[in-house]
Amino acid sequence: MKKFLIIALLAFFGNTYAQEGITVSGNAISIREVPPVWPGCSGSDADKKACFKKQLVNHVVTNFKFPEGYKKGTVKEPVIVDFVINEEGKPQILGVKGGTKPLQEEAKRNIMAIPQMTPGQAGGKPRAIKYSMPFTF
């Protein structure tokens, strides 16, 4: 009887202590991931995600400066920057591949100039969300 009471209490408290964005269905647990929000983006999650992508591309194009000795159309290899928007809503570089050192440094500078955002979330808590941005010259 004591075991049954403990199991019943655990089941009751386990069901009443649910986190936002977490769904349990049978043996499967799904955690809803919400992307970071670029300043000025609003609407549904889909609208915010589309706005984020648009603003990121606009930011990269507007803020990119060719390093000395490089001209548009002369670079053949893309530079790929892997980064996260961390739990504070700030960009953080994970790695850079391709291109020359000056092009890699410019790509990193560009990503680090991304404005402060509302951080992404998973399960209702702030979470770093990973992105990969190709710079094609």
Side-chain angles (χ1 to χ4, degrees), residues 123-136:
K125 295 182 180 180
R127 175 170 174 221
I129 307 291
K130 184 178 177 183
Y131 294 95
S132 186
M133 183 69 191
F135 287 76
T136 306

mmCIF file with all atom_site columns, all heavy atoms in Angstrom, residues 123-136:
data_model
loop_
_atom_site.group_PDB
_atom_site.id
_atom_site.type_symbol
_atom_site.label_atom_id
_atom_site.label_alt_id
_atom_site.label_comp_id
_atom_site.label_asym_id
_atom_site.label_entity_id
_atom_site.label_seq_id
_atom_site.pdbx_PDB_ins_code
_atom_site.Cartn_x
_atom_site.Cartn_y
_atom_site.Cartn_z
_atom_site.occupancy
_atom_site.B_iso_or_equiv
_atom_site.pdbx_formal_charge
_atom_site.auth_seq_id
_atom_site.auth_comp_id
_atom_site.auth_asym_id
_atom_site.auth_atom_id
_atom_site.pdbx_PDB_model_num
ATOM 1   N N   . GLY A 1 123 ? 12.193 24.356 -24.281 1.00 0.00 ? 123 GLY A N   1
ATOM 2   C CA  . GLY A 1 123 ? 11.523 23.984 -23.037 1.00 0.00 ? 123 GLY A CA  1
ATOM 3   C C   . GLY A 1 123 ? 11.244 25.166 -22.134 1.00 0.00 ? 123 GLY A C   1
ATOM 4   O O   . GLY A 1 123 ? 11.201 25.030 -20.925 1.00 0.00 ? 123 GLY A O   1
ATOM 5   N N   . GLY A 1 124 ? 11.114 26.373 -22.717 1.00 0.00 ? 124 GLY A N   1
ATOM 6   C CA  . GLY A 1 124 ? 10.806 27.567 -21.940 1.00 0.00 ? 124 GLY A CA  1
ATOM 7   C C   . GLY A 1 124 ? 12.011 28.214 -21.276 1.00 0.00 ? 124 GLY A C   1
ATOM 8   O O   . GLY A 1 124 ? 11.866 29.164 -20.532 1.00 0.00 ? 124 GLY A O   1
ATOM 9   N N   . LYS A 1 125 ? 13.224 27.698 -21.548 1.00 0.00 ? 125 LYS A N   1
ATOM 10  C CA  . LYS A 1 125 ? 14.435 28.259 -20.946 1.00 0.00 ? 125 LYS A CA  1
ATOM 11  C C   . LYS A 1 125 ? 15.365 28.759 -22.051 1.00 0.00 ? 125 LYS A C   1
ATOM 12  O O   . LYS A 1 125 ? 15.402 28.174 -23.136 1.00 0.00 ? 125 LYS A O   1
ATOM 13  C CB  . LYS A 1 125 ? 15.157 27.194 -20.123 1.00 0.00 ? 125 LYS A CB  1
ATOM 14  C CG  . LYS A 1 125 ? 14.364 26.723 -18.923 1.00 0.00 ? 125 LYS A CG  1
ATOM 15  C CD  . LYS A 1 125 ? 15.146 25.707 -18.129 1.00 0.00 ? 125 LYS A CD  1
ATOM 16  C CE  . LYS A 1 125 ? 14.306 25.256 -16.932 1.00 0.00 ? 125 LYS A CE  1
ATOM 17  N NZ  . LYS A 1 125 ? 15.009 24.272 -16.139 1.00 0.00 ? 125 LYS A NZ  1
ATOM 18  N N   . PRO A 1 126 ? 16.132 29.838 -21.796 1.00 0.00 ? 126 PRO A N   1
ATOM 19  C CA  . PRO A 1 126 ? 17.077 30.333 -22.799 1.00 0.00 ? 126 PRO A CA  1
ATOM 20  C C   . PRO A 1 126 ? 18.057 29.240 -23.227 1.00 0.00 ? 126 PRO A C   1
ATOM 21  O O   . PRO A 1 126 ? 18.490 28.438 -22.393 1.00 0.00 ? 126 PRO A O   1
ATOM 22  C CB  . PRO A 1 126 ? 17.820 31.469 -22.095 1.00 0.00 ? 126 PRO A CB  1
ATOM 23  C CG  . PRO A 1 126 ? 16.919 31.886 -21.000 1.00 0.00 ? 126 PRO A CG  1
ATOM 24  C CD  . PRO A 1 126 ? 16.171 30.642 -20.583 1.00 0.00 ? 126 PRO A CD  1
ATOM 25  N N   . ARG A 1 127 ? 18.345 29.208 -24.527 1.00 0.00 ? 127 ARG A N   1
ATOM 26  C CA  . ARG A 1 127 ? 19.232 28.174 -25.050 1.00 0.00 ? 127 ARG A CA  1
ATOM 27  C C   . ARG A 1 127 ? 20.024 28.720 -26.229 1.00 0.00 ? 127 ARG A C   1
ATOM 28  O O   . ARG A 1 127 ? 19.505 29.491 -27.031 1.00 0.00 ? 127 ARG A O   1
ATOM 29  C CB  . ARG A 1 127 ? 18.409 26.991 -25.512 1.00 0.00 ? 127 ARG A CB  1
ATOM 30  C CG  . ARG A 1 127 ? 19.263 25.940 -26.166 1.00 0.00 ? 127 ARG A CG  1
ATOM 31  C CD  . ARG A 1 127 ? 18.508 24.671 -26.410 1.00 0.00 ? 127 ARG A CD  1
ATOM 32  N NE  . ARG A 1 127 ? 19.396 23.807 -27.162 1.00 0.00 ? 127 ARG A NE  1
ATOM 33  C CZ  . ARG A 1 127 ? 19.009 23.063 -28.151 1.00 0.00 ? 127 ARG A CZ  1
ATOM 34  N NH1 . ARG A 1 127 ? 17.750 23.058 -28.515 1.00 0.00 ? 127 ARG A NH1 1
ATOM 35  N NH2 . ARG A 1 127 ? 19.857 22.310 -28.793 1.00 0.00 ? 127 ARG A NH2 1
ATOM 36  N N   . ALA A 1 128 ? 21.271 28.309 -26.358 1.00 0.00 ? 128 ALA A N   1
ATOM 37  C CA  . ALA A 1 128 ? 22.096 28.683 -27.506 1.00 0.00 ? 128 ALA A CA  1
ATOM 38  C C   . ALA A 1 128 ? 21.580 27.933 -28.735 1.00 0.00 ? 128 ALA A C   1
ATOM 39  O O   . ALA A 1 128 ? 21.341 26.730 -28.674 1.00 0.00 ? 128 ALA A O   1
ATOM 40  C CB  . ALA A 1 128 ? 23.552 28.339 -27.242 1.00 0.00 ? 128 ALA A CB  1
ATOM 41  N N   . ILE A 1 129 ? 21.396 28.667 -29.825 1.00 0.00 ? 129 ILE A N   1
ATOM 42  C CA  . ILE A 1 129 ? 20.923 28.068 -31.069 1.00 0.00 ? 129 ILE A CA  1
ATOM 43  C C   . ILE A 1 129 ? 22.038 28.206 -32.100 1.00 0.00 ? 129 ILE A C   1
ATOM 44  O O   . ILE A 1 129 ? 22.564 29.291 -32.318 1.00 0.00 ? 129 ILE A O   1
ATOM 45  C CB  . ILE A 1 129 ? 19.634 28.755 -31.575 1.00 0.00 ? 129 ILE A CB  1
ATOM 46  C CG1 . ILE A 1 129 ? 18.553 28.797 -30.483 1.00 0.00 ? 129 ILE A CG1 1
ATOM 47  C CG2 . ILE A 1 129 ? 19.128 28.092 -32.839 1.00 0.00 ? 129 ILE A CG2 1
ATOM 48  C CD1 . ILE A 1 129 ? 17.941 27.480 -30.107 1.00 0.00 ? 129 ILE A CD1 1
ATOM 49  N N   . LYS A 1 130 ? 22.368 27.099 -32.754 1.00 0.00 ? 130 LYS A N   1
ATOM 50  C CA  . LYS A 1 130 ? 23.502 27.050 -33.685 1.00 0.00 ? 130 LYS A CA  1
ATOM 51  C C   . LYS A 1 130 ? 23.075 27.407 -35.111 1.00 0.00 ? 130 LYS A C   1
ATOM 52  O O   . LYS A 1 130 ? 22.000 27.022 -35.566 1.00 0.00 ? 130 LYS A O   1
ATOM 53  C CB  . LYS A 1 130 ? 24.123 25.657 -33.673 1.00 0.00 ? 130 LYS A CB  1
ATOM 54  C CG  . LYS A 1 130 ? 25.360 25.550 -34.523 1.00 0.00 ? 130 LYS A CG  1
ATOM 55  C CD  . LYS A 1 130 ? 25.969 24.161 -34.441 1.00 0.00 ? 130 LYS A CD  1
ATOM 56  C CE  . LYS A 1 130 ? 27.165 24.085 -35.371 1.00 0.00 ? 130 LYS A CE  1
ATOM 57  N NZ  . LYS A 1 130 ? 27.754 22.761 -35.392 1.00 0.00 ? 130 LYS A NZ  1
ATOM 58  N N   . TYR A 1 131 ? 23.975 28.141 -35.794 1.00 0.00 ? 131 TYR A N   1
ATOM 59  C CA  . TYR A 1 131 ? 23.782 28.516 -37.194 1.00 0.00 ? 131 TYR A CA  1
ATOM 60  C C   . TYR A 1 131 ? 25.089 28.340 -37.954 1.00 0.00 ? 131 TYR A C   1
ATOM 61  O O   . TYR A 1 131 ? 26.161 28.335 -37.362 1.00 0.00 ? 131 TYR A O   1
ATOM 62  C CB  . TYR A 1 131 ? 23.338 29.987 -37.303 1.00 0.00 ? 131 TYR A CB  1
ATOM 63  C CG  . TYR A 1 131 ? 21.987 30.247 -36.719 1.00 0.00 ? 131 TYR A CG  1
ATOM 64  C CD1 . TYR A 1 131 ? 21.862 30.694 -35.409 1.00 0.00 ? 131 TYR A CD1 1
ATOM 65  C CD2 . TYR A 1 131 ? 20.834 30.033 -37.448 1.00 0.00 ? 131 TYR A CD2 1
ATOM 66  C CE1 . TYR A 1 131 ? 20.615 30.918 -34.850 1.00 0.00 ? 131 TYR A CE1 1
ATOM 67  C CE2 . TYR A 1 131 ? 19.582 30.231 -36.896 1.00 0.00 ? 131 TYR A CE2 1
ATOM 68  C CZ  . TYR A 1 131 ? 19.488 30.679 -35.601 1.00 0.00 ? 131 TYR A CZ  1
ATOM 69  O OH  . TYR A 1 131 ? 18.249 30.885 -35.054 1.00 0.00 ? 131 TYR A OH  1
ATOM 70  N N   . SER A 1 132 ? 24.952 28.221 -39.257 1.00 0.00 ? 132 SER A N   1
ATOM 71  C CA  . SER A 1 132 ? 26.115 28.170 -40.148 1.00 0.00 ? 132 SER A CA  1
ATOM 72  C C   . SER A 1 132 ? 25.848 29.181 -41.262 1.00 0.00 ? 132 SER A C   1
ATOM 73  O O   . SER A 1 132 ? 24.817 29.114 -41.927 1.00 0.00 ? 132 SER A O   1
ATOM 74  C CB  . SER A 1 132 ? 26.258 26.756 -40.714 1.00 0.00 ? 132 SER A CB  1
ATOM 75  O OG  . SER A 1 132 ? 27.442 26.651 -41.463 1.00 0.00 ? 132 SER A OG  1
ATOM 76  N N   . MET A 1 133 ? 26.770 30.123 -41.444 1.00 0.00 ? 133 MET A N   1
ATOM 77  C CA  . MET A 1 133 ? 26.575 31.199 -42.435 1.00 0.00 ? 133 MET A CA  1
ATOM 78  C C   . MET A 1 133 ? 27.667 31.139 -43.477 1.00 0.00 ? 133 MET A C   1
ATOM 79  O O   . MET A 1 133 ? 28.836 31.352 -43.180 1.00 0.00 ? 133 MET A O   1
ATOM 80  C CB  . MET A 1 133 ? 26.595 32.552 -41.733 1.00 0.00 ? 133 MET A CB  1
ATOM 81  C CG  . MET A 1 133 ? 26.325 33.720 -42.638 1.00 0.00 ? 133 MET A CG  1
ATOM 82  S SD  . MET A 1 133 ? 24.613 33.651 -43.159 1.00 0.00 ? 133 MET A SD  1
ATOM 83  C CE  . MET A 1 133 ? 24.609 34.874 -44.412 1.00 0.00 ? 133 MET A CE  1
ATOM 84  N N   . PRO A 1 134 ? 27.306 30.838 -44.746 1.00 0.00 ? 134 PRO A N   1
ATOM 85  C CA  . PRO A 1 134 ? 28.311 30.859 -45.815 1.00 0.00 ? 134 PRO A CA  1
ATOM 86  C C   . PRO A 1 134 ? 28.480 32.277 -46.365 1.00 0.00 ? 134 PRO A C   1
ATOM 87  O O   . PRO A 1 134 ? 27.517 32.981 -46.597 1.00 0.00 ? 134 PRO A O   1
ATOM 88  C CB  . PRO A 1 134 ? 27.715 29.937 -46.869 1.00 0.00 ? 134 PRO A CB  1
ATOM 89  C CG  . PRO A 1 134 ? 26.233 30.029 -46.661 1.00 0.00 ? 134 PRO A CG  1
ATOM 90  C CD  . PRO A 1 134 ? 26.029 30.314 -45.195 1.00 0.00 ? 134 PRO A CD  1
ATOM 91  N N   . PHE A 1 135 ? 29.723 32.675 -46.530 1.00 0.00 ? 135 PHE A N   1
ATOM 92  C CA  . PHE A 1 135 ? 30.053 33.949 -47.166 1.00 0.00 ? 135 PHE A CA  1
ATOM 93  C C   . PHE A 1 135 ? 30.564 33.609 -48.559 1.00 0.00 ? 135 PHE A C   1
ATOM 94  O O   . PHE A 1 135 ? 31.646 33.051 -48.715 1.00 0.00 ? 135 PHE A O   1
ATOM 95  C CB  . PHE A 1 135 ? 31.136 34.700 -46.380 1.00 0.00 ? 135 PHE A CB  1
ATOM 96  C CG  . PHE A 1 135 ? 30.661 35.288 -45.094 1.00 0.00 ? 135 PHE A CG  1
ATOM 97  C CD1 . PHE A 1 135 ? 30.447 34.509 -43.982 1.00 0.00 ? 135 PHE A CD1 1
ATOM 98  C CD2 . PHE A 1 135 ? 30.434 36.654 -44.998 1.00 0.00 ? 135 PHE A CD2 1
ATOM 99  C CE1 . PHE A 1 135 ? 30.005 35.059 -42.788 1.00 0.00 ? 135 PHE A CE1 1
ATOM 100 C CE2 . PHE A 1 135 ? 29.981 37.234 -43.815 1.00 0.00 ? 135 PHE A CE2 1
ATOM 101 C CZ  . PHE A 1 135 ? 29.769 36.418 -42.707 1.00 0.00 ? 135 PHE A CZ  1
ATOM 102 N N   . THR A 1 136 ? 29.766 33.905 -49.567 1.00 0.00 ? 136 THR A N   1
ATOM 103 C CA  . THR A 1 136 ? 30.153 33.646 -50.941 1.00 0.00 ? 136 THR A CA  1
ATOM 104 C C   . THR A 1 136 ? 30.487 34.968 -51.593 1.00 0.00 ? 136 THR A C   1
ATOM 105 O O   . THR A 1 136 ? 29.655 35.880 -51.626 1.00 0.00 ? 136 THR A O   1
ATOM 106 C CB  . THR A 1 136 ? 29.003 32.938 -51.704 1.00 0.00 ? 136 THR A CB  1
ATOM 107 O OG1 . THR A 1 136 ? 28.633 31.789 -50.968 1.00 0.00 ? 136 THR A OG1 1
ATOM 108 C CG2 . THR A 1 136 ? 29.431 32.542 -53.087 1.00 0.00 ? 136 THR A CG2 1
#
